[in-house]
Amino acid sequence: MASTPMGGTFNRSVTVPAYTWANRPASASVGSIIRATDLNNALMMWNGTGWAPVGGGVVLACSGATGMTVTGTTSKTTLATVVVPGGMMGADGTIEVLAEYSFTGTAGGKRITYEVGGSIFFDNTASTSIVTKRAFTSLRNKGSVSTQSGPSIAVYSADNTGGIYSLAVNTENNFSIAFNVTLVNAADSATLLGYTVRLVR
Amino acid sequence: MKEIDSITTTVSEPDPETGLPIEREAIAPDPEQSAGCREVRWDAERGKYVGIEA
């Protein structure tokens, strides 16, 4: 409670209607806000055509969990997956993905890929002597809820010789981002130290 | 949290050097057991994937 200039008091708190994302209202008055209980309690505002994050962004996942390590195999190994709920991106939304890695051993390179349904949108191989890596990229809808493209390597200001990714993920449905590592030599190891997945629109 | 088994499959993907498709073994969480989880992570100590349910 807080005092007013007239000497009275009022309650400053506001209760925002709460929904699971799947059960959100199909439409609302422009400017209406809901709380998505299963999306880290993200506040989403109706912009006339869809629910967009208040302030332009929302963190979907953020983890520094231990134990996300691969060794002893040269198979492509998924160390983590994060689900992006359907209908969050709209036609012009972007998913930003940031992750950090550490490596041991110098027997071979360590290939890192980010994928949706087996389609790669980030692809970079750490050479044998590299011991840490920070990898940032984005998955951007290009004027359609089901068209994405962009550089397949995008480590801050790094130049790109790796080509262009082109995906056709229908982002109106749930989809999963996979953090994959492939060791060239099974004696080495790679650890996913942490990741952040953020929606911007 | 719930434990999730891993499955091994064969996938085709571009070779990072040549760009040509190559077949490769892939290890990933069982998609059926992962249903309903918003995140799944490998836990090396357990030797299992761990899923965080929505």
Side-chain angles (χ1 to χ4, degrees), chain A residues 38 40 60-63 65 67-69 73-83 111 115 120 125 182 195, chain B residues 8 11-16 22 24-29 34 37-45 49 52 54:
Chain A
D38 53 347
N40 296 328
L60 300 176
C62 183
S63 174
M68 295 184 284
T69 298
T73 180
T74 56
S75 297
K76 180 169 75 172
T77 302
T78 299
L79 291 177
T81 64
V82 172
V83 171
R111 184 184 185 188
E115 302 180 23
I120 295 171
T125 299
T182 306
Y195 55 79
Chain B
T8 301
V11 297
S12 177
E13 64 180 23
D15 183 278
I22 54 170
R24 176 181 295 288
E25 253 192 9
I27 301 168
S34 302
C37 292
R38 59 186 168 88
E39 290 180 58
V40 179
R41 305 170 192 145
W42 175 249
D43 186 325
E45 275 193 15
Y49 285 101
I52 301 170

Side-chain angles (χ1 to χ4, degrees), chain A residues 132-196:
Chain A
T132 61
K133 178 178 283 292
R134 174 173 286 121
F136 174 79
T137 195
S138 56
L139 179 68
R140 193 178 294 276
N141 271 351
K142 304 290 285 184
S144 159
V145 296
S146 56
T147 304
Q148 303 85 33
S149 66
S152 58
I153 177 171
V155 186
Y156 291 113
S157 62
D159 294 333
N160 175 34
T161 57
I164 298 290
Y165 73 75
S166 182
L167 277 63
V169 177
N170 185 350
T171 59
E172 290 295 291
N173 301 323
N174 288 3
F175 64 95
S176 184
I177 295 174
F179 295 83
N180 297 327
V181 174
T182 306
L183 300 174
V184 171
N185 190 302
D188 293 341
S189 77
T191 297
L192 174 57
L193 298 171
Y195 55 79
T196 303

